[in-house]
Amino acid sequence: MSDNRCHLEEKYTWDLTTIFATDADWETEYESTVQDLKKASSFAGHLLDSSKNLLEATELYMSLMRRLEKIYVYASMKNDQDTTVGLYQEYQAKASNLYSQLSGAFAYFEPEFMALDAEKLASFKEQEPGLGLYDHYFERLLANKDHVLSQEAEELLAAAGDIFNGPTDTFNVLDNADILFPWVSDGQGNVIELTHGNFITLMESKDRDIRKGAYEAMYGTYEQFQHTYAQTLQGVVKVHNYQAKVRHYNSARHAALAANFIPESVYDSLLESVNKHLPLLHRYLDLRKKVLGLDELKMYDVYTPLSETETALTYEESLKKAEEVLAIFGEEYSKGVHAAFTERWIDVHPNKGKRSGAYSGGAYDTNAFMLLNWQDTLDNLFTLVHETGHSLHSTFTRQTQPYVYGDYPIFLAEIASTTNENILTETLLKEVKDDKTRFAILNHYLDGFKGTVFRQTQFAEFEHAIHEADESGQILTAEFMNKIYADLNEKYYNLKAEDNYEIQFEWERIPHFYMNYYVYQYATGFAAASYLAEKIVHGTEEDKEAYLTYLKAGSSDYPLEVIKKAGVDMTNTNYLDAAFKVFEDRLVELEALVEKGVHLS
């Protein structure tokens, strides 16, 4: 067993014993679930024999899913905290395989259910009132009637789940456990091993040589493995396109968005709106070049803060500030935040083998855990309130909704997290007393907008381009994807591809490209959150109550309807226009501070 975490204080680690007290308990529940899964077959061919059968089969499916989520969360989080431990690699593989088994065991459910018409369903509900709980769930199933296959075909697809997951699993092991990066200077007289966890900190260094060294070391390594990463990414794109085709969707994008009942026009409107506003990004980058005193801006210059004001915060200071800022939502929300911060929901510090980045996770019957890789920066305070937004969204949903509606679609997930970020920005700007600190906060906001709205939309364009290319018969070689990525990067940042050679390999390190049209939702979510934060900070108590109603709704309604309850209509571009207006207003304010010479004083 690895000792990569033995140096960590317990209070900075998440308490996964609240899920299963021991590994032995996990194994017992795993084996029990495997056995209980065999009960599913008794309803095959008999789902609609009676209202009782439909209710019992539905309840069995929900019960097994609920148990399996808990099994998977424990396994995946144990693996994420140290990806080099073979036991937890095995646990995660077994849990993933169990999902495939469950899908196969219930493969009959949707095909048989689709034979039910509205009249028969109404009759069933009269006979078994318990079916009323599943009204919206059944409605969503029937809405996808054209995309459900025969039972035999559904069983084949379910059984192939592990095969379909192969490219993603290979990417995860390669990128988190096997790949080794060079040693680089940290600017403080030390030579350190470059990792996913410290790369961004190095890229934010005030020393350009440090930034350049880390940048070239990172992407030089990815250049060596470009053909392997091309195979894994091409593999997952082929899976997405294949699954969409066999289910009679127009495209992988159509299938991915239809899962959340989001029209493709929402995606197209985002790309169109962001492309229209690219001159704002170019203007900000020109300002960045001026403040940094550079003749030529490079891609390794776009992350370092422009401010000389130190905004480093310890983890403890950040917890205190986050609780203070998020108190704006009221007592109920604050109690949830305090629980998350004091009851070991958070795995704080990086360690060797730990999964990179940050996330909020958990299941219906667990705490809404958070994984961080903490650095003492202002950006990490924003990450903390971001993930806390996810965790409180999950907590409110699970406390309010029955299991069948106890989660929320990805499309809504990023709104809760980025609303918290925007409220933090609003609060900090309201509290600031001096131009230097205001400069630092404005710079952070503009960098965050750049990274979330502009950058994630750039990713969305790339993702859509490679899916369309594969669909048309194009082989997704490393050279082909390098070219697409380099051209997009030049369009977005207005920096010539030939002057920024290494950036063409960046696509290799983006895990979200394996998540099937996920990234666009960061951008739409941030834009909606910008609008909501304004209402919460400057609006009424009713605005706050409406927002909490959205947090508690889970999947009890369609996503666009749920977010309408908070006051945002995402079927038009008004929310995007409002977001770019905020960006421009704050850019103008930063430009004025630069003219005053604040950055020089």
Side-chain angles (χ1 to χ4, degrees), residues 48 86 122 179 189 199 217 228 329 342 394-395 469 497 526 537 591:
L48 302 183
I179 195 166
F199 176 63
T228 302
F329 289 114
T342 59
S394 298
T395 300
F526 190 99
V537 172
E591 287 170 334

Side-chain angles (χ1 to χ4, degrees), residues 360-377:
S360 167
Y364 189 80
D365 295 306
T366 75
N367 293 325
F369 294 100
M370 292 176 250
L371 179 140
L372 305 175
N373 279 278
W374 187 262
Q375 307 284 332
D376 287 342
T377 65

